[in-house]
Amino acid sequence: MVEKVSGRRPYFREVPRTHWFLRHPRYLRYMAREITCIFIGAYTFIWVVGIVRLSQGEAAYQAFLQTLKTPSSIVFHIVALVFAIYHSVTWFNLTPKALPVQLGEEFLPDGVIAGAHYAAWAVLSVVILFLAGAF
Amino acid sequence: MAKSNKPIVWGPFAAGGTVTAFVTPVLIVLTLLVSLGHLPDMLTYEKLSSFAAGWFGKLAILVIVVFSLWGSAHRLRITFFDFGVRSDTLVATVVYLAAGLGSVAVLVSLLRL
C-alpha cells in the first residue's frame, strides 16, 4: 500500500514574541495596563527611600525632600500619575467581574459596582488630601 | 492532588492592585506637590515622623508599601513574559527579591522611628 502524502497544509499564525501587542489596539491597551506596574513599583520605592531617610533623622529627610524637587522627579511624577490613574480605572472597571453581587435572582448592575468603587476612590482621595494638609 | 502556590502569589497581587488603585494616585499628587515646591503639612519632618512613630501610622505605611511592592512585582513578572522574556525563574527571583528587600527596609526603618 502506498502511503498517501498528506494534503493538509495547516495554517500557523506567526506570533512575534516581542512585539505581538502592536497588532491590535486591544492588545496595546492590555500592555498599557500591564506596564503601569513599572511606574507604580518605581514610585513605591520613592516611599521606601523616604521612610529610610526619615528614620535617619531630619537632615537626611530634608535632603530627600530636596531630591524630589529636581526636574526629572517632576517629570517622573507626572508620567507616574497618568499610569497610576490608568491602573485605577482599569482595576475598578474589572470589579463587576471580580465581585459580582447577587440579589435574589438578579445580579447588581455592573455600573453600580464599578460606580461604588469610583465614588469610594474619590472620597478617599479628597480625605487623604485634606488630612495631609494639601489644601 | 496537584498542589499550587498560585493563591499565595495571587492574594498579595489582588491586595496590591486594590491598594494601589485606591491610594497611589493621591500619594503621587502629594509628593508631586512637594516636587513643585508646596510641602503638604503631613510631609514635614515633624509631622511624618510623629505619624510613623504611632502604631497606626506604622501599620498604614507598611500595608501600603508592602502590598504595592508585591502587587507590582507580580505584575512585572507577567509583563516580562509578555515582552518575550522566557526565563521566568530568574525574573521571578529578581522581582520578588526587590519587593522583599524594599519591604524589609521599610519595616526596619519604621521600627527605628
Side-chain angles (χ1 to χ4, degrees):
Chain A
M1 206 170 103
V2 181
E3 203 167 33
K4 251 179 88 175
V5 176
S6 168
R8 278 188 77 235
R9 289 194 298 122
Y11 171 65
F12 291 107
R13 185 170 183 270
E14 273 188 42
V15 180
R17 193 195 256 193
T18 53
H19 53 92
W20 55 271
F21 50 89
L22 299 175
R23 281 198 168 167
H24 195 288
R26 187 186 294 149
Y27 302 161
L28 262 181
R29 287 198 297 276
Y30 165 82
M31 282 307 252
R33 188 193 76 187
E34 293 301 283
I35 63 168
T36 59
C37 72
I38 297 171
F39 296 92
I40 291 173
Y43 176 74
T44 309
F45 270 102
I46 292 182
W47 272 89
V48 172
V49 172
I51 297 299
V52 170
R53 288 276 175 257
L54 186 74
S55 74
Q56 291 169 344
E58 184 160 9
Y61 184 69
Q62 295 300 344
F64 164 73
L65 289 182
Q66 281 307 315
T67 58
L68 283 183
K69 294 181 183 171
T70 55
S72 54
S73 158
I74 297 175
V75 172
F76 173 76
H77 271 83
I78 292 169
V79 176
L81 182 60
V82 172
F83 277 100
I85 290 172
Y86 190 66
H87 166 253
S88 301
V89 169
T90 55
W91 193 266
F92 294 139
N93 285 349
L94 275 174
T95 52
K97 300 267 183 283
L99 309 162
V101 178
Q102 192 170 10
L103 300 170
E105 293 290 301
E106 301 292 313
F107 280 93
L108 210 58
D110 287 0
V112 175
I113 298 173
H117 281 87
Y118 278 111
W121 180 33
V123 170
L124 188 69
S125 298
V126 172
V127 167
I128 290 177
L129 284 176
F130 179 76
L131 289 179
F135 297 120
Chain B
M1 203 174 89
K3 281 190 178 173
S4 167
N5 61 5
K6 279 207 167 172
I8 301 164
V9 179
W10 252 92
F13 170 69
T18 307
V19 166
T20 54
F22 276 114
V23 302
T24 304
V26 69
L27 289 179
I28 296 178
V29 169
L30 285 179
T31 52
L32 179 62
L33 287 174
V34 177
S35 73
L36 296 174
H38 174 79
L39 183 64
D41 199 33
M42 190 66 203
L43 295 185
T44 57
Y45 176 74
E46 292 74 23
K47 283 283 174 63
L48 192 59
S49 51
S50 71
F51 178 70
W55 68 268
F56 176 78
K58 278 185 178 34
L59 194 66
I61 293 169
L62 193 65
V63 164
I64 290 173
V65 169
V66 169
F67 282 125
S68 300
L69 287 181
W70 277 100
S72 302
H74 184 61
R75 195 170 238 184
L76 191 57
R77 177 185 173 190
I78 307 302
T79 306
F80 266 106
F81 191 88
D82 288 339
F83 276 116
V85 181
R86 290 292 180 267
S87 36
D88 183 57
T89 311
L90 176 67
V91 168
T93 308
V94 171
V95 296
Y96 292 146
L97 196 65
L101 288 177
S103 304
V104 170
V106 165
L107 178 65
V108 171
S109 302
L110 284 173
L111 291 177
R112 289 176 60 197
L113 278 157

